[in-house]
Amino acid sequence: MITFDGVRKVFPDGTVAVDNLDLELPTGKITVFVGPSGCGKTTSLRMINRMIEPTSGRILIDGDDVTSQDDALLRRRIGYVIQHAGLFPHRTIAENIATVPHLNGVNKKKARAVALELMDRVGLDESMADRYPVQLSGGQQQRVGVARALAADPPVMLMDEPFSAVDPIVREVLQAEFLRIQGELGKTIALVTHDIDEAIKIGDMVAVFRQGGHLAQFATPQELLERPANDFVADFVGRDRGFRSLSFDTAAALEVDDLFSVATGGEVLVLDGAGHPHGWTGPGLGSTSNPTPLGGTFVTGDSLRLVTDLAISSPVGIAVRVDETGRADGVLRHDSLVRQLNARRRRRAEAESTS
Ligand SMILES: Nc1ncnc2c1ncn2[C@@H]1O[C@H](COP(=O)(O)OP(=O)(O)OP(=O)(O)O)[C@@H](O)[C@H]1O
Ligand SMILES: [Mg+2]
């Protein structure tokens, strides 16, 4: 666990970059620092490995004050990834990745083997090992940066906008790979971004900063969407909050109706011989042999967001549930869905007020 205890940073020119920050970053989880430009995210991150010293307050890693540790050794135990990867231009990719193992006295051959293995892990072809950073694309350089930070197998990783220098598609790929690697490694990660969608997607916990280095809210992504602490956070989190928050729960608890119980508008679900849904027929809809398409189906493991989207985009306002073999096993009218979502919200609010 990384603890910020009343941390404040005032730069010599009087700029208060971080003000009275209290925060606990859980071990083995990703904590994202997010907020507008200049709000103190990078400063907070760099105080963890002492690239910047706090003016007052303490930062502890598993209870040990970082200021009581040798800073060079501290930095070798903490992986650090920055925007544009920050690679050494005159070293090859393999040499870049092997930097810290090398400093730790690992011999050249072993360090290269570690580098090649990590290249594989982050999705870089071995053939790039002896190239120089300028000979790689932005996304590839970013992967090298991640591999280099992982090379010493540090328990803690600090990442400053690690995916921001690449286009949106490469970015999604890198985010997904990063989550996959983290799923295997379980590092304690502090990651800075100014992109709230990225924060919500990859954070286990999200710290929202506001101008002047104040912490506006520290919560799970779901809590941020459902219960922003103030107008600043609500504004920053953005539109469609309610809809986006439905991504975090599955359809497992939803009650569905019997397949043939919904024909209030005369619509009938057309099934094939195996019970797979084919579409809708009825007044204003297609025929039994050529029914109006469903637009998709859901299973119990799908998100409430998907189910809601299906119900409101369905030609008849009804989402169709299928079992694992693809057979229709229930239907959900949009009005029933809205009733259940409301009941769910009331239950959560009650649970919260009694806890
Ligand atoms: N060395 C410094 N001297 C004086 N002021 C500084 C220094 N470094 C940063 N600052 C100021 O401290 C504040 C916080 O900077 P910081 O780099 O932590 O912001 P940030 O949240 O990472 O912003 P961005 O999203 O733009 O990277 C800013 O107002 C910045 O101008
Ligand atoms: Mg920054």
Side-chain angles (χ1 to χ4, degrees):
M1 185 165 68
I2 302 173
T3 311
F4 283 78
D5 178 15
V7 172
R8 189 173 153 83
K9 177 66 191 182
V10 186
F11 283 108
D13 67 355
T15 306
V16 180
V18 178
D19 199 13
N20 230 329
L21 182 62
D22 291 315
L23 205 57
E24 284 192 350
L25 286 62
T27 300
K29 302 277 184 204
I30 301 170
T31 301
V32 177
F33 296 175
V34 67
S37 186
C39 66
K41 305 179 296 290
T42 295
T43 304
S44 299
L45 193 76
R46 289 162 69 101
M47 286 192 288
I48 298 174
N49 66 358
R50 293 186 65 196
M51 295 177 78
I52 296 175
E53 299 284 357
T55 308
S56 57
R58 296 184 312 158
I59 296 174
L60 312 166
I61 298 182
D62 294 332
D64 295 330
D65 194 330
V66 294
T67 53
S68 64
Q69 303 179 35
D70 179 81
D71 49 353
L73 288 178
L74 182 74
R75 271 172 230 148
R76 281 186 215 170
R77 288 197 296 116
I78 298 179
Y80 186 46
V81 184
I82 57 172
Q83 194 178 0
H84 300 293
L87 303 177
F88 303 116
H90 306 301
R91 291 190 196 160
T92 65
I93 301 312
E95 286 164 358
N96 262 284
I97 296 172
T99 304
V100 173
H102 191 69
L103 285 172
N104 284 342
V106 173
N107 73 40
K108 241 183 158 157
K109 203 169 148 204
K110 178 102 192 290
R112 186 175 171 89
V114 169
L116 291 180
E117 190 191 312
L118 282 163
M119 286 180 69
D120 184 50
R121 174 153 245 157
V122 299
L124 286 171
D125 197 87
E126 221 179 84
S127 64
M128 293 177 184
D130 299 315
R131 288 201 210 167
Y132 289 88
V134 288
Q135 298 170 302
L136 265 54
S137 74
Q140 290 164 343
Q141 290 182 32
Q142 214 68 55
R143 289 166 199 253
V144 176
V146 172
R148 185 176 59 179
L150 286 169
D153 196 19
V156 174
M157 298 247 289
L158 311 180
M159 309 179 82
D160 198 346
E161 311 231 10
F163 312 123
S164 63
V166 293
D167 68 63
I169 293 169
V170 174
R171 185 173 197 172
E172 288 222 356
V173 172
L174 290 179
Q175 288 168 341
E177 285 179 1
F178 167 66
L179 288 176
R180 178 182 56 73
I181 295 170
Q182 167 66 357
E184 292 168 14
L185 302 181
K187 305 278 181 198
T188 304
I189 294 173
L191 184 147
V192 167
T193 178
H194 57 262
D195 176 355
I196 184 68
D197 293 321
E198 178 164 279
I200 283 169
K201 181 167 171 194
I202 66 181
D204 294 300
M205 294 298 292
V206 179
V208 183
F209 286 70
R210 65 189 299 175
Q211 215 63 38
H214 298 285
L215 184 64
Q217 187 167 4
F218 184 52
T220 63
Q222 186 169 12
E223 280 166 25
L224 276 189
L225 291 171
E226 291 183 353
R227 292 182 296 281
N230 48 52
D231 288 347
F232 172 79
V233 177
D235 227 39
F236 191 72
V237 165
R239 290 175 171 249
D240 309 328
R241 263 196 303 119
F243 191 56
R244 283 151 65 201
S245 75
L246 295 173
S247 311
F248 296 97
D249 280 328
T250 72
L254 287 177
E255 282 180 30
V256 294
D257 287 310
D258 195 89
L259 286 188
F260 304 102
S261 63
V262 288
T264 53
E267 58 280 286
V268 176
L269 185 62
V270 179
L271 304 177
D272 67 11
H276 300 164
H278 259 227
W280 294 100
T281 182
L285 298 166
S287 63
T288 313
S289 58
N290 188 22
T292 303
L294 297 174
T297 56
F298 71 99
V299 296
T300 53
D302 282 325
S303 72
L304 290 180
R305 178 173 172 157
L306 177 87
V307 177
T308 305
D309 186 60
L310 284 174
I312 58 186
S313 63
S314 156
V316 294
I318 300 171
V320 177
R321 193 176 79 180
V322 296
D323 64 16
E324 48 306 338
T325 67
R327 276 207 303 261
D329 73 351
V331 288
L332 183 61
R333 296 194 76 89
H334 63 77
D335 47 348
S336 165
L337 174 65
V338 169
R339 250 196 325 276
Q340 295 188 55
L341 292 179
N342 275 330
R344 165 179 168 271
R345 198 180 50 219
R346 271 198 306 277
R347 276 197 307 276
R348 294 167 80 97
E350 277 164 24
E352 201 180 324
S353 69
T354 57
S355 71

